[in-house]
Every structure is written in C-alpha cells, then in structure tokens.
Amino acid sequence: MPSYLQIENISKSYGPKVLFQHIDFNINEGDKVALIAPNGTGKTSLLRILAGKDSSDSGGKVLFLKDIRIAFLEQEYAYDPEKSVFRQVMDASAQWTAQLDQDHLWQYELRVTQLLDQFGLSGERLMKELSGGEVKRVALTQMLASEADFYIMDEPTNHLDIDAIEFLENHLKHSRCTLFMVTHDRYFLDRVCNTVMEMDRGNIYIYRGDYMNFLEKRQERIDNYNAETERVRNLYRRELEWMHASPCARTGKAKYRKQAFWDIKERADDSYVQKKVDLSETKAASTYLGNKVINCKDVSFWWEQKCYLRHFSYNFQRYERVGIVGRNAAGKTTFLNLITGGWKPELGGTLEGVIELGESLKVGYYHQSGMQFKPGQTVLETVNDTHLLSRFLFTHDMLNNPVERLSGGERRRLYLLTILLQQPNFLILDEPTNDLDIVTLEILEEYLLEYKGSLLIVSHDRHFLDRLVDHLFVFCGDGVVKDFVGNYTEYRTFIKDYEASRKADEKPSQVQGKVKTAAPKKLSYKQQQELKALEEKLSSLEAEKASLEAQLSGGELSMEQLQAASARYGTLQQELEEAEMRWLELSE
C-alpha cells in the first residue's frame, strides 16, 4: 500500500502548554484511523495542521502523496444563512467542481441531491432554518460528495441523531477512502476504523485492529510502563541513599552520576498508577427521592401547527433509567423542557394535559447549550470539590486555570460537574457525550452506574445508552412516543428482526419484540385491515426501493430519469419509516 501521508517532527504549543512535540507517524492507503486523546491535548490542532489550516511550531513535514484529493470536516461548519441547502453545498464545493464539464457537473449535483435525501434533508430549505444536527448533515454531504481520496474529520458524529450516524457509519465502512478522524463514538470507531492512534503525554502509539484490541493493548502498555517505573523507583531509592552520603563522598563522585540521579527521579515520579483516584470519597451522590417523581397525564404540545408531543402519559419511577432517541427536531429537548417546568405560556406554543412534580424532586438538568462562566473564574472556584475534580481528570495544576483557557470538551466536563455537585435525585442529561473524550465518557459511565436516583438521558451515543438505560422513549415524529423495554442495541435488533421476518413473508406476530404497553388492547376490525394493508405496503415499498437502487447505480437512465428516480428515493425512505412506525404502533 502506498503511503498517503507522512508526518515528521511536528509540534504545537499554546503559551507554556505543550500539546505535542516532535511527533512522527505514517498513514497508508486504505487506513481508517481514529485518533484518541483526552480533551485539551491537541487533537483538533493536529487535524488542522494536517489540513493546512495551521502550522507546526517546530517546522517539520506534512507530506501527502502527490495528486490525492483531501477533504476536511471541521467541527464548526461555515455557511451563508441565506442560501438554500443545495446552493450552499455546491458553492462550497468549488474546489471540486470548477474544472468539471457539464456532464460531470451534473453527476456531481446528482450525488449531492442523493446524499441530502439519504440524510433526510431538502435541498430547497434555507440554511438559517436548520438545527445544529441538520447543519452537520450539510457539512457531511459536502465532504462525501467530493469522493476525496483522504478524509480528515473532526468529531463527525457530534450533533447527529442515531439514524444519521448509522448511515454515515455504513457509508464509510464500505467506502475505499482513507480517513483520519477524531471521534468519541465507540461503536462508530469500532465499526469503521481499522487502526486506533493514541496521543498520550505528547507521544503517539499505533494499534492495528478494532477498539477492543486497542483497549487490551493499551492496558498491556500501561502495565509494562508501570512495571518499568517500579524498577526505576527501586533504583532511585538506592541512588538517593548515595546522594545522602557525606559531602566529601559526594564531591568525589562523577558529575554524570549526579545528573543521572535527577533523570531517574523524574522517571520514578512518572507513573500511570499515580493517575488513579481514590473513588471512595466521590461516590455518586443524590438526595432522597419519594415515590412520586414526575407524573404526565395525557400531555400534548404544539408549536406553530407542529405537534411535538401527542397524548403522552407516563409516571416516572424512582431509580429508573430512561434513554430518549429519535431524529433531530423530533421534540426530544422540547419534552425535557416541558417535564421540568421550563416552558411558560409566554414562550409560545400550546400545552394540554397535566404534569405533576413530586414534592421531594430535585432535578439536575444538563443542557446541550452548556453554561456561561464568569470572566477570570477558575476551575476550583467553579467546582469547589477536589475529589470530584480529580475523578473527572482535572489535575492539581489545572485547578487555578481560568475557565476560558480550557478546551471546549474540558468546559463541558466542568459544567457537568456543576450539575453533579448539586446532588440531584432526578438527573437529566441532554446530549452529555458531545465534545467529551473517550476516557471521560468511561469515567462518567462508571459514575452514573453508581448513581442512586432517576436518570433520563437524551443521547446519540449508542454505547453510552447500552450501558446505562433500562428502556427507551422512541420519538417517532408527529408527537408519537413509544416506550421500548431494553437498551438501544436491543431496540435496533427488534426492528431488524421485524424487517427480516417481513421480507421472509412471516407474520409480524412471530417477531419476538419487547415493546411495553400500558394496557393490551384488541385491534378493531378497521385496525386489523389497516395492519394487513401496511404489511402489503411495506413489501411493495421495499421492492420499489431495491428497484430504484438498481436503476440509480446502473448508469442507463437519462438525466431526467435520474433526477426523478433520485427524488423518489428520498421520499420513499420517509414513507418506509412512517409505515414501519405505524406497524409498530398497531402490532403492540
């Protein structure tokens, strides 16, 4: 395999803080590399240097194979709010389209349209109308449409809903591209990447294989490092005895041995063991929670003719752990604001039904938007709990740092601690995994597994949901919310089992699902007929989808036929999803 990228002797510092120094590595054609490192250690800086957006402090070399095409996905996508989605992508793709003839330009435009359809976006919408997750889909469309040889991606799954993540995951998994990305999504990493690169203490370590292999090999490396450190400590103790000898004895000793002593001392002080924190004093704390938590009775909510919640009834229980999943803009955050009393009539919208809060309820609500810190406020002034700070990787030398000097991930981590410090008995986390590195995510998961209170999590991180929740609220759109007993992987397995059984022309009742119902009801004659018609419709739509995919990849359609087929493919995906969700509702 040819070398696509060769890095030699690059460094980056900000003021006195050294992010990385004199690092070297190589990426070959076909490598799909995930870069893992704690927040604030320079992951984004490294990507920007590779993409030519920043420079190395030490000179060094960034050498790409001649004539390969490189596309860079930044965390923040720059766009014109007044442009349509399609025009934004095309205008921002000038570097790829400027030299294309009319036929190839038309093919590029078709590729953009198809990707937008697959991401569930209309090319006619204005950029200023989009949510953060939808803007991220536009950025990804622009990158993927380029069909570049080498993708550099900074947190590609941030702000995406799970459907979009799974589409991107499948696309990259089957693509022949070479890629280098920063991601905290462990399932995404495991299913897309064949190499993990760890940046630790300014050094680079390469692990060929999946995420599980990385975890195993990294632990071996740490164990070996600590074993060597212990050997050096023993040597240090003997050298210390020598240094404490009489001044006359020391004066006559060789200077090189005195210098060697200080080198040994520095190495002896450096150990991963010392990074471990005594967790006995930082157990996940909460206040007492009574039997009544939050009771919702026939709650509905509309905003400007759109229904975000329809006849929702549910009584939250003590100590239950609920995950919330659904498409971007399906109403997940709106739901959190409603049940916590964040909505007021003067804000607009129409609320019906009853929401009752328990007298002992103490909500800790982690918002997507984060929090505002005062200028000059330090880490310790924000969270005055050194044990909690240590557990979440705020070292002693960081405690007096102003918050504004922290990385984005470090600030979100600190904000999370301000919520945990309140000792809530009902903890609500709205996209808590955004911008958090993998090490922090694992620490947060362990903390929440200890947590003695009710937990409600909105997240696109499938690994996070699988570890922490007992059941899911699935936001299906148009205000419909379904309760599924099980974690996210079990939910996806249920859906896939259903699709497989339908394709095999089996009855839906044979699917072993786990959907929870408040009270089983017998279908009316009309509903039975609708269910039967849905099965036939789903079979027809699947056949049409397979036919369209064959036509779109066949290369035999005219320009007009291709445009029509592409447009139909986008609407077909939506029809399939709506029909499947209605079948799920009736089959309960």
Side-chain angles (χ1 to χ4, degrees):
M1 291 289 184
S3 174
Y4 264 21
L5 172 63
Q6 188 172 344
I7 297 299
E8 298 178 4
N9 190 35
I10 64 172
S11 307
K12 195 66 181 179
S13 302
Y14 284 103
K17 184 176 182 179
V18 177
L19 298 178
F20 46 85
Q21 196 167 28
H22 307 304
I23 62 174
D24 308 271
F25 60 88
N26 186 73
I27 295 178
N28 295 323
E29 180 184 8
D31 285 348
K32 294 180 179 178
V33 183
L35 175 63
I36 292 179
N39 293 132
T41 54
K43 299 187 296 295
T44 294
S45 295
L46 176 58
L47 263 59
R48 288 180 59 81
I49 290 173
L50 303 190
K53 303 284 186 178
D54 202 348
S55 59
S56 166
D57 295 341
S58 57
K61 295 179 180 179
V62 178
L63 303 173
F64 282 97
L65 184 67
K66 185 179 180 181
D67 295 331
I68 66 167
R69 293 151 50 90
I70 304 162
F72 180 35
L73 179 79
E74 299 191 69
Q75 284 197 45
E76 300 298 328
Y77 178 63
Y79 62 88
D80 184 340
E82 300 301 325
K83 286 184 178 178
S84 70
V85 168
F86 179 80
R87 183 45 48 201
Q88 168 64 37
V89 174
M90 291 305 301
D91 288 353
S93 300
Q95 68 181 108
W96 311 113
T97 61
Q99 305 302 320
L100 298 180
D101 58 34
Q102 192 58 42
D103 285 343
H104 286 93
L105 179 61
W106 168 77
Q107 291 176 11
Y108 197 98
E109 291 176 342
L110 179 61
R111 193 154 65 240
V112 169
T113 301
Q114 290 173 337
L115 284 165
L116 290 174
D117 287 340
Q118 290 166 319
F119 274 123
L121 288 173
S122 167
E124 297 177 356
R125 290 180 65 189
L126 295 180
M127 292 297 300
K128 64 183 179 183
E129 300 171 351
L130 304 185
S131 67
E134 289 170 327
V135 170
K136 191 59 168 280
R137 297 186 199 191
V138 174
L140 285 165
T141 295
Q142 180 180 318
M143 183 191 74
L144 297 178
S146 71
E147 294 188 339
D149 305 298
F150 196 117
Y151 293 138
I152 301 173
M153 298 186 290
D154 195 356
E155 299 286 11
T157 64
N158 256 11
H159 308 295
L160 291 184
D161 59 42
I162 296 178
D163 287 342
I165 290 174
E166 291 183 342
F167 166 71
L168 178 63
E169 182 180 278
N170 189 62
H171 185 101
L172 294 174
K173 181 179 179 179
H174 293 95
S175 170
R176 299 181 65 181
C177 69
T178 301
L179 65 86
F180 185 71
M181 69 176 176
V182 170
T183 183
H184 63 253
D185 189 317
R186 287 154 288 183
Y187 282 172
F188 186 81
L189 182 162
D190 199 46
R191 293 164 186 173
V192 171
C193 296
N194 54 30
T195 303
V196 176
M197 179 184 296
E198 181 189 17
M199 188 159 62
D200 184 22
R201 304 181 182 195
N203 297 316
I204 293 291
Y205 302 92
I206 306 293
Y207 307 85
R208 301 290 178 183
D210 58 15
Y211 180 65
M212 181 62 71
N213 176 73
F214 156 71
L215 292 177
E216 293 173 352
K217 297 301 182 184
R218 181 180 189 272
Q219 190 59 50
E220 288 179 14
R221 178 177 69 80
I222 291 175
D223 290 344
N224 291 337
Y225 188 93
N226 286 338
E228 176 64 16
T229 299
E230 188 59 33
R231 188 189 69 79
V232 171
R233 281 178 178 164
N234 291 332
L235 177 60
Y236 168 68
R237 281 192 287 270
R238 292 195 295 272
E239 289 294 293
L240 187 60
E241 292 173 0
W242 173 81
M243 290 292 287
H244 284 162
S246 67
C248 293
R250 281 206 310 271
T251 304
K253 301 298 183 182
K255 291 183 178 179
Y256 80 87
R257 186 167 180 184
K258 294 180 182 179
Q259 182 57 47
F261 168 79
W262 296 111
D263 293 340
I264 293 171
K265 181 181 186 304
E266 182 179 354
R267 177 64 175 85
D269 289 341
D270 188 21
S271 171
Y272 284 92
V273 172
Q274 293 181 334
K275 294 288 185 180
K276 292 185 178 181
V277 180
D278 180 5
L279 305 184
S280 61
E281 299 184 50
T282 59
K283 294 294 185 183
S286 64
T287 54
Y288 169 77
L289 179 62
N291 290 325
K292 184 177 181 181
V293 184
I294 299 177
N295 294 345
C296 300
K297 302 177 181 178
D298 198 30
V299 179
S300 298
F301 183 75
W302 286 266
W303 178 276
E304 296 180 351
Q305 310 304 314
K306 182 175 180 180
C307 183
Y308 286 92
L309 197 63
R310 188 182 299 274
H311 303 299
F312 177 81
S313 295
Y314 188 81
N315 293 341
F316 287 89
Q317 305 297 314
R318 285 195 298 176
Y319 314 131
E320 73 172 323
R321 297 164 174 264
V322 188
I324 296 182
V325 297
R327 285 179 173 268
N328 292 132
K332 302 185 294 294
T333 298
T334 299
F335 174 74
L336 300 184
N337 291 333
L338 291 174
I339 66 171
T340 55
W343 176 85
K344 306 295 180 186
E346 58 268 22
L347 297 176
T350 303
L351 177 65
E352 296 180 354
V354 178
I355 301 174
E356 299 176 341
L357 306 183
E359 293 182 0
S360 62
L361 183 68
K362 185 177 181 181
V363 174
Y365 188 175
Y366 176 92
H367 295 263
Q368 279 194 56
S369 55
M371 70 173 289
Q372 298 297 318
F373 297 96
K374 298 177 183 178
Q377 184 175 345
T378 67
V379 170
L380 189 58
E381 288 171 343
T382 306
V383 175
N384 190 19
D385 185 324
T386 55
H387 290 290
L388 191 61
L389 287 166
S390 295
R391 180 166 187 178
F392 282 84
L393 305 181
F394 287 97
T395 57
H396 181 75
D397 59 356
M398 297 176 67
L399 299 185
N400 291 318
N401 285 356
V403 175
E404 58 261 31
R405 284 177 50 189
L406 302 179
S407 70
E410 289 170 332
R411 284 197 296 271
R412 292 187 70 85
R413 192 196 316 161
L414 190 64
Y415 167 46
L416 176 64
L417 296 191
T418 67
I419 305 298
L420 300 180
L421 199 62
Q422 299 168 19
Q423 299 188 5
N425 51 33
F426 192 98
L427 185 57
I428 298 177
L429 304 174
D430 192 2
E431 298 290 8
T433 66
N434 281 349
D435 301 316
L436 295 186
D437 60 74
I438 288 178
V439 175
T440 304
L441 284 176
E442 292 170 346
I443 293 171
L444 177 59
E445 285 171 357
E446 293 301 320
Y447 187 95
L448 294 177
L449 286 170
E450 301 169 2
Y451 175 69
K452 304 302 182 184
S454 297
L455 191 60
L456 184 60
I457 304 172
V458 175
S459 181
H460 63 255
D461 189 318
R462 297 156 293 177
H463 187 284
F464 195 73
L465 290 174
D466 279 352
R467 286 202 71 190
L468 294 173
V469 307
D470 305 315
H471 66 111
L472 299 172
F473 286 157
V474 183
F475 278 64
C476 308
D478 196 31
V480 176
V481 179
K482 293 297 171 184
D483 187 2
F484 179 86
V485 178
N487 60 32
Y488 183 79
T489 295
E490 291 169 331
Y491 167 69
R492 292 303 296 171
T493 300
F494 166 73
I495 294 297
K496 290 175 182 177
D497 284 349
Y498 154 65
E499 292 174 347
S501 68
R502 176 167 47 76
K503 289 178 181 179
D505 201 24
E506 297 176 359
K507 293 182 179 180
S509 60
Q510 293 176 302
V511 181
Q512 298 301 309
K514 296 168 65 180
V515 174
K516 177 180 174 181
T517 56
K521 296 180 181 179
K522 186 177 180 181
L523 293 179
S524 67
Y525 175 77
K526 183 178 179 181
Q527 289 172 323
Q528 291 176 26
Q529 294 300 106
E530 182 185 0
L531 187 60
K532 183 178 179 180
L534 274 172
E535 293 168 22
E536 295 174 355
K537 180 179 181 180
L538 285 166
S539 179
S540 174
L541 290 174
E542 285 286 359
E544 184 183 358
K545 180 183 176 183
S547 175
L548 279 174
E549 288 173 343
Q551 293 176 41
L552 288 167
S553 61
E556 297 179 357
L557 298 180
S558 66
M559 182 183 299
E560 292 78 9
Q561 290 172 324
L562 272 171
Q563 289 175 326
S566 177
R568 172 57 185 154
Y569 190 84
T571 57
L572 181 65
Q573 294 278 71
Q574 184 65 29
E575 289 180 26
L576 264 170
E577 182 176 332
E578 291 173 355
E580 288 173 349
M581 295 313 303
R582 179 55 179 161
W583 177 88
L584 179 62
E585 183 178 358
L586 289 172
S587 65
E588 290 182 341

